[in-house]
Amino acid sequence: AEVNGLEMDVNWAATYNLTVSAGFGWYDSELTENYCGTLDGNGNPETDCADPEAPAGTRLPITPEFKGNLNARYTWDWSDFEPFVQLAYLYEGERRTDLRIVENGILGDMPSYNMLDLSAGIRKDNWTLNLYVKNLTDERAQFSRSVQCPESVCGEQRYISTNQPRTLGIRVSQEF
């Protein structure tokens, strides 16, 4: 298998009050040889077969072509307090669930998703009060798909692991 890509993280203090950070990854991940699903006499994977379970060039599972995030935080001074607002965005592209062609066809690809979080709060000395909304748009992101038995038998009875639904919360914290 081969994974080539480009990853970058950027942190920027746009003004005294505004900080922005972003990151992205662009990946080209694929098999460089056939995956036959068998081992040779030495315990090494066989790559020379008439009907590979995944031919060379097959995209690796769980790895999107693109993934990125963007965060922005604005703070200001107000008497002895430091109020803030923050926005966080994440995008992850479509991913294969399985390396093997037939099994991936049964389980299907995991779709791309967008996540948006919002928070606002106030800080004084070593205390912080934070009001937040995680997954503001209430999107269901799929993190994994699996079955309890072979895909050809249980393929329609998928287990799908998802993200947390929209969540509102309050957090009070103290730094020591």
Side-chain angles (χ1 to χ4, degrees):
E2 182 175 276
V3 179
N4 293 310
L6 172 65
E7 293 180 346
M8 182 179 285
D9 291 315
V10 177
N11 293 300
W12 178 40
T15 68
Y16 175 78
N17 303 88
L18 177 63
T19 56
V20 179
S21 62
F24 73 88
W26 209 299
Y27 307 103
D28 180 19
S29 62
E30 62 184 38
L31 285 179
T32 55
E33 298 179 282
N34 290 338
Y35 172 73
C36 298
T38 57
L39 302 175
D40 65 18
N42 296 323
N44 298 316
E46 294 271 354
T47 58
D48 187 18
C49 56
D51 190 22
E53 291 186 31
T58 300
R59 188 160 182 75
L60 297 179
I62 312 302
T63 308
E65 279 189 51
F66 181 79
K67 181 177 184 174
N69 66 69
L70 176 67
N71 297 293
R73 184 178 180 103
Y74 187 81
T75 62
W76 65 97
D77 296 324
W78 177 53
S79 187
D80 290 340
F81 298 92
E82 184 182 303
F84 63 88
V85 293
Q86 180 170 312
L87 180 72
Y89 171 76
L90 168 75
Y91 170 82
E92 185 163 1
E94 183 178 75
R95 288 105 48 231
R96 292 178 57 89
T97 54
D98 199 295
L99 177 65
R100 301 163 298 174
I101 301 299
V102 171
E103 287 77 358
N104 193 76
I106 293 169
L107 288 174
D109 289 341
M110 290 180 287
S112 63
Y113 64 89
N114 297 279
M115 298 286 294
L116 185 62
D117 297 340
L118 180 63
S119 63
I122 194 160
R123 180 182 167 105
K124 180 170 175 36
D125 300 325
N126 60 344
W127 287 92
T128 303
L129 171 66
N130 188 13
L131 309 170
Y132 62 88
V133 181
K134 293 185 72 65
N135 192 7
L136 183 67
T137 59
D138 202 25
E139 181 160 348
R140 290 295 179 267
Q142 294 184 15
F143 296 143
S144 69
R145 289 183 180 189
S146 61
V147 290
Q148 195 168 11
C149 64
E151 288 83 351
S152 59
V153 177
C154 297
E156 294 302 315
Q157 300 171 1
R158 293 182 203 104
Y159 293 96
I160 299 175
S161 298
T162 64
N163 62 317
Q164 179 175 326
R166 181 185 304 125
T167 305
L168 308 170
I170 299 173
R171 183 179 312 128
V172 177
S173 59
Q174 179 183 20
E175 294 177 14
F176 293 98

